[in-house]
Amino acid sequence: MFQFTPRLTFVQILEKNKPGAVAWVTGNSAHPQLSGLVKFYDTPYGGVLTEAEIFGLPNIEEPSSSDFYAMHIHQHGDCSGSFEHTGEHYNPTGAPHPEHAGDLIPLLGNQGYAWTAFYDKRFSINDIIGKSVVIHSGKDDFTTQPSGNSGSKIGCGEIRAEH
């Protein structure tokens, strides 16, 4: 029996729609090989469908390796220098970690490459324009306040509206 689910809509959105916003992520001086694109799509269910494809994560040199890397939305879109101007996690409701809007699912890097897609109703595209997507050197422990003890910022991209 065929049952229509949101997943089918999400697949169509990823295949046929233009994102409402994107973040071109680049690495810092210690991780110049890191790059990728994070796309944000509106959905008919409210919320945002997010797709991320990242290359050059630190485990690229380790054959058959996999590692988790935290990915968050930060308050500011300033990715200059070593990303020290991105501010804290985006947290419009003052929620504890990991329940605030800036906490995204972790990236699973397989020999330097990660791809993921997920749905989130804690923010809209308009809410995050001008903020940044930040990739951290370690995994988020989902416990430590306020940011999950996820390590240094190794990648950053300003979230910009797509026209």
Side-chain angles (χ1 to χ4, degrees):
M1 173 168 108
F2 177 78
Q3 185 175 10
F4 188 82
T5 67
R7 180 191 70 82
L8 297 174
T9 301
F10 295 158
V11 168
Q12 289 178 347
I13 289 170
L14 292 175
E15 288 181 351
K16 299 179 190 228
N17 290 21
K18 181 179 175 184
V22 298
W24 289 97
V25 176
T26 57
N28 60 15
S29 60
H31 299 88
Q33 76 286 359
L34 194 150
S35 66
L37 183 62
V38 181
K39 301 176 190 177
F40 301 92
Y41 298 86
D42 283 316
T43 76
Y45 307 107
V48 175
L49 180 63
T50 302
E51 177 185 34
E53 185 174 32
I54 307 296
F55 302 88
L57 290 164
N59 66 334
I60 194 167
E61 300 297 327
E62 302 169 39
S64 302
S65 66
S66 62
D67 251 327
F68 285 102
Y69 301 91
M71 181 171 62
H72 301 122
I73 296 174
H74 282 245
Q75 296 169 320
H76 309 296
D78 184 351
C79 290
S80 62
S82 294
F83 317 138
E84 64 269 11
H85 304 292
T86 59
E88 300 297 322
H89 289 186
Y90 171 57
N91 188 4
T93 63
H97 182 76
E99 299 165 12
H100 47 76
D103 291 320
L104 305 179
I105 65 169
L107 293 170
L108 176 57
N110 289 282
Q111 200 167 338
Y113 174 77
W115 181 89
T116 192
F118 58 92
Y119 172 66
D120 197 328
K121 289 186 88 167
R122 297 175 296 166
F123 57 86
S124 71
I125 289 176
N126 286 337
D127 293 337
I128 60 172
I129 299 295
K131 297 184 178 10
S132 58
V133 172
V134 172
I135 297 172
H136 294 267
S137 61
K139 59 187 170 195
D140 190 321
D141 67 13
F142 299 107
T143 304
T144 305
Q145 299 298 324
S147 60
N149 194 30
S150 51
S152 62
K153 299 171 184 177
I154 62 171
C156 184
E158 180 184 353
I159 302 169
R160 298 178 182 197
E162 274 292 281
H163 303 285

